[in-house]
Amino acid sequence: DTAVSQTPKYLVTQMGNDKSIKCEQNLGHDTMYWYKQDSKKFLKIMFSYNNKELIINETVPNRFSPKSPDKAHLNLHINSLELGDSAVYFCASSQSRAEQYFGPGTRLTVT
Amino acid sequence: DQQVKQNSPSLSVQEGRISILNCDYTNSMFDYFLWYKKYPAEGPTFLISISSIKDKNEDGRFTVFLNKSAKHLSLHIVPSQPGDSAVYFCAASTNTGNQFYFGTGTSLTVIP
């Protein structure tokens, strides 16, 4: 029983395409996040949702759009993919300010 | 502007010895600190945390020390085991939001 799951685990696509990454948590947490880990291994927050409401939206191109259909899901849609979007994307969840539980990551490669 | 820094990208330690991983921060409003461990091809997993009202928290072989005046925290692992080989991230947050700021990680190798 995976606590935080992401699909797909690997995603290879061409520049200009649109893709989505799905995230689900079965922990009953009220907050979900998307992080990007770039080539320098820096884990940077992109978005945070609390009870389906966007509460953090860091400086991220508006080609990235999170969607939270319910408390247990936070999907990430990316339009017009660029080479610089290649990274590992992690979904996470937490109960308010408590420690976060991370998914296994989605390695996105844009060619 | 990186508010949480881990200046040592890597560390090697003999099995059985102590591993000390360091983390510095710049934001004096941070009041909650965490350490995560990450294996390759997996997401980070929570290891231990400390609130700013304490200066030490211990959990088995893992101890986190917080020096607020120096804006510095450290993770001690003793005794180190080969299974501890992983990347360790420190993270910090303020009490005003749900955002955690992460360091760039330190890759620990425990040599058998």
Side-chain angles (χ1 to χ4, degrees), chain A residues 9 33 45 56 97 99-100 103, chain B residues 31-32 36 41 93-94 100:
Chain A
K9 194 162 171 65
Y33 312 79
I45 192 164
I56 292 172
R97 278 191 75 208
E99 66 271 14
Q100 297 172 334
Chain B
D31 67 345
Y32 186 52
Y36 287 83
S93 73
T94 67
F100 288 88

Side-chain angles (χ1 to χ4, degrees), chain A residues 15-82:
Chain A
M15 280 174 55
N17 284 349
D18 303 339
K19 290 292 177 187
S20 291
I21 308 171
K22 295 186 175 181
C23 177
E24 176 180 2
Q25 55 99 359
N26 61 9
L27 298 165
H29 288 165
D30 59 7
T31 308
M32 294 185 73
Y33 312 79
W34 275 108
Y35 285 87
K36 178 181 179 181
Q37 186 179 35
D38 59 22
S39 55
K40 293 181 182 172
K41 308 298 181 189
F42 184 39
L43 253 178
K44 187 169 168 50
I45 192 164
M46 300 173 70
F47 302 101
S48 172
Y49 268 75
N50 180 266
N51 285 316
K52 291 174 53 183
E53 226 177 287
L54 180 67
I55 54 170
I56 292 172
N57 181 358
E58 286 296 297
T59 310
V60 174
N62 57 16
R63 299 181 294 103
F64 290 78
S65 52
K67 293 255 184 334
S68 182
D70 55 58
K71 262 177 59 172
H73 295 85
L74 181 62
N75 303 324
L76 184 65
H77 188 76
I78 317 169
N79 289 328
S80 304
L81 278 154
E82 300 178 357

